[in-house]
């Protein structure tokens, strides 16, 4: 039996509870939410599964040590004391990533450097040989997190952020992060039981994530590599078994997913990305201006989108957001429309009352995910039935 150990899944602000729920559904033990992270317990196979299957995690870390430090010299000594031969060969390569929240230690690059020096010196003293640094494809990626006087040392099991799913080769001017897109769709409560639409689909991220959620397809199947594949205890047979068991849990989807964009180049890119993800049978994308479209049929429609913010795209905000509200109200009855924005002033121009507002961060932008329920007929009519 593989032994269990503690892991930490990192995520975006506001997604902690949905990530915890994802972990519970996957079978994690001792799930606890923090700020932008969720800790849990599982074995090596579960670590592989978490990296493959979690939609709202950006990284999976495996903590291996924790200690108190007051000076940089303390950090060096404690790192030097550790038995690094368990994780790395003297001829191997490493990279160190540090985050600091401390008045004493203020420079994360310096902390990374000090950690690397301690590990390299230890190997040189014991074997006469030293590992090299490789920032792109190291055999071991180490994560140092200093919070005031406590230093946590972890192995990075993921490598590149898990939002890099591997299907997106083409992006537009302001692409949405895949983890953010998946989190928005989960927060919106979409369960694959209705049609789904992104009326401003850009490079197609929202559509691809929606399709994978609907069909229960693991989001990171397309990844070229996870960091744990270079670890000394890498078990390719176990990994393939986990992959196979996840693929057996995919399900059928009996509705439509469609996207519009008024930019022909965005439509081309979105189609390419959807094809890369092997999701073209579920998704159709058209070159359309949302403001000139209307809903086909009476069935319930679930809409999630990321309208331009004016941060990187030049638009006239007031009239743009007013157009969103008018188009929804006049042309999209029986629709639950959700969108994220960091332009909180522009929301006032939508002209509809949101039924929900969820506080999130989009990169460093303070944002809101808002929901507008557009009824078939008047709202009053709905309650008089």
């Amino acid at each position: 039996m593989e032994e269990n150990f503690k892991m930490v899944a990192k995520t975006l602000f506001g997604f902690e509870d949905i990530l915890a729920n994802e972990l519970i559904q996957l079978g994690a033990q001792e799930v606890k939410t923090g700020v932008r992270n969720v800790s849990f317990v599982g074995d090596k196979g579960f670590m592989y599964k978490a990296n493959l299957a979690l939609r709202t995690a950006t990284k999976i870390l495996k903590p291996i040590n924790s200690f108190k430090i007051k000076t940089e010299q303390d950090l060096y000594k404690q790192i030097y004391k550790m038995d690094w031969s368990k994780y790395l060969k003297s001829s191997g390569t490493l990279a160190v990533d540090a985050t600091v929240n401390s008045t004493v230690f203020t420079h994360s690059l310096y902390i990374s450097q000090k950690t690397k020096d301690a590990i390299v010196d230890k190997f040189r003293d014991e074997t006469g040989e030293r590992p090299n640094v490789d920032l792109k494809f190291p055999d071991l990626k180490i994560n140092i997190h200093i919070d005031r006087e406590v230093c946590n040392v972890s192995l990075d099991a993921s490598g590149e952020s898990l939002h890099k799913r591997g299907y997106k080769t083409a992006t537009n001017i302001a692409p949405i992060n895949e983890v953010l897109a998946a989190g928005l769709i989960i927060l919106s409560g979409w369960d694959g039981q209705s049609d789904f639409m992104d009326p401003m689909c850009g490079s197609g991220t929202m559509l691809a994530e929606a399709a994978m959620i609907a069909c229960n397809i693991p989001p990171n199947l397309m990844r070229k590599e996870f960091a744990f594949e270079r670890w000394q205890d890498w078990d390719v047979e176990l990994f393939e078994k986990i992959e196979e068991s996840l693929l057996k849990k995919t399900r059928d989807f009996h509705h439509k997913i469609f996207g519009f964009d008024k930019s022909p180049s965005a439509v081309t890119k979105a189609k390419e990305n959807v094809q890369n993800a092997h999701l073209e049978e579920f998704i159709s994308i058209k070159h359309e201006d949302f403001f000139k479209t209307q809903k086909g049929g009476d069935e319930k429609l679930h809409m999630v989108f990321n309208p331009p913010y004016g941060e990187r795209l030049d638009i006239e905000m007031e009239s743009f957001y007013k157009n969103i509200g008018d188009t929804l109200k006049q042309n999209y009855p029986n629709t639950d429309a959700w969108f994220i924005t960091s332009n909180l002033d522009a929301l006032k121009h939508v002209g509809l009352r949101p039924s929900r507002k969820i506080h999130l961060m989009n990169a460093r932008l303070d944002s809101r995910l808002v929901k507008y329920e557009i009824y078939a007929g008047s709202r009053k009519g709905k309650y008089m039935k």
Side-chain angles (χ1 to χ4, degrees), residues 42-89:
D43 60 10
K44 183 161 64 173
F46 192 84
M47 181 180 75
Y48 296 169
K49 192 202 268 193
N51 274 281
L52 280 165
L54 290 173
R55 300 181 196 283
T56 56
T58 54
K59 213 173 251 307
I60 308 293
L61 300 175
K62 179 183 180 180
I64 55 169
N65 202 357
S66 184
F67 42 78
K68 283 198 160 185
I69 50 174
K70 285 192 162 61
T71 66
E72 277 116 9
Q73 207 43 41
D74 290 347
L75 172 72
Y76 180 92
K77 280 182 190 157
Q78 291 283 2
I79 295 289
Y80 187 94
K81 262 183 6 195
M82 291 173 65
D83 180 5
W84 288 99
S85 65
K86 288 196 292 194
Y87 312 110
L88 186 65
K89 291 187 172 75

Side-chain angles (χ1 to χ4, degrees), residues 140-385:
L140 192 70
K141 195 169 182 187
I142 298 149
N143 181 278
I144 300 288
H145 182 261
I146 297 176
D147 188 8
R148 291 175 284 272
E149 289 183 355
V150 177
C151 176
N152 291 304
V153 184
S154 303
L155 305 184
D156 181 342
S158 306
E160 276 207 301
S161 168
L162 292 174
H163 83 272
K164 295 187 176 177
R165 313 280 205 220
Y167 64 79
K168 214 153 81 172
T169 52
T171 60
N172 57 353
I173 189 171
I176 189 169
N177 168 319
E178 292 86 325
V179 163
L180 178 60
L184 298 181
I185 294 163
I186 293 168
L187 278 175
S188 79
W190 192 62
D191 53 7
Q193 300 304 304
S194 66
D195 286 356
F196 180 98
M197 177 183 176
D198 178 349
M200 300 175 190
C201 72
S203 51
T205 313
M206 207 77 87
L207 303 171
E209 296 297 324
M212 289 192 286
I213 288 168
C215 303
N216 202 30
I217 295 167
N220 290 315
L221 282 178
M222 302 284 300
R223 287 260 301 199
K224 285 193 175 66
E225 185 178 77
F226 297 100
F228 57 69
E229 292 177 46
R230 289 167 177 254
W231 289 5
Q232 292 185 24
D233 67 351
W234 163 234
D235 186 338
V236 67
E237 278 178 35
L238 177 62
F239 180 78
E240 284 169 359
K241 205 183 283 180
I242 297 288
E243 213 172 28
E244 207 178 304
S245 76
L246 285 167
L247 282 169
K248 280 184 184 151
K249 295 189 175 107
T250 57
R251 56 181 175 241
D252 291 340
F253 173 61
H254 303 292
H255 297 276
K256 291 192 207 75
I257 295 175
F258 49 102
F260 297 153
D261 205 284
K262 69 174 195 173
S263 153
S265 67
V267 170
T268 304
K269 286 170 187 167
K271 285 181 172 173
E272 199 180 305
N273 291 333
V274 163
Q275 219 165 351
N276 291 339
H278 308 296
L279 295 168
E280 58 272 45
E281 67 176 290
F282 307 110
I283 298 169
S284 63
I285 301 165
K286 285 184 182 158
H287 174 220
E288 298 270 10
D289 178 347
F290 171 56
F291 300 146
K292 295 174 183 163
T293 65
Q294 56 188 40
K295 183 171 175 254
D298 303 322
E299 296 296 308
K300 182 80 171 178
L301 177 63
H302 196 97
M303 193 187 281
V304 185
F305 61 112
N306 175 38
Y309 290 3
E311 289 286 326
R312 285 178 280 186
L313 298 169
D314 190 24
I315 52 174
E316 212 293 290
M317 277 295 158
E318 288 185 19
S319 61
F320 185 80
Y321 276 74
K322 182 181 181 303
N323 275 342
I324 290 177
D326 290 349
T327 306
L328 288 173
K329 193 164 48 186
Q330 288 153 25
N331 300 350
Y332 281 85
N334 198 17
T335 296
D336 282 348
W338 294 76
F339 67 82
I340 185 172
T341 184
S342 67
N343 194 321
L344 306 184
D345 284 338
L347 275 181
K348 296 168 191 161
H349 300 284
V350 174
L352 299 167
R353 188 188 291 272
S355 59
R356 279 198 72 189
K357 262 189 199 178
I358 300 170
H359 181 202
L360 297 170
M361 297 297 288
N362 182 356
R364 295 204 172 123
L365 301 172
D366 192 23
S367 305
R368 299 293 179 275
L369 174 64
V370 288
K371 178 188 186 184
Y372 296 98
E373 294 177 58
I374 316 299
Y375 298 98
S378 74
R379 189 169 184 155
K380 202 154 94 185
K382 173 186 162 67
Y383 292 111
M384 287 174 69
K385 279 177 188 169

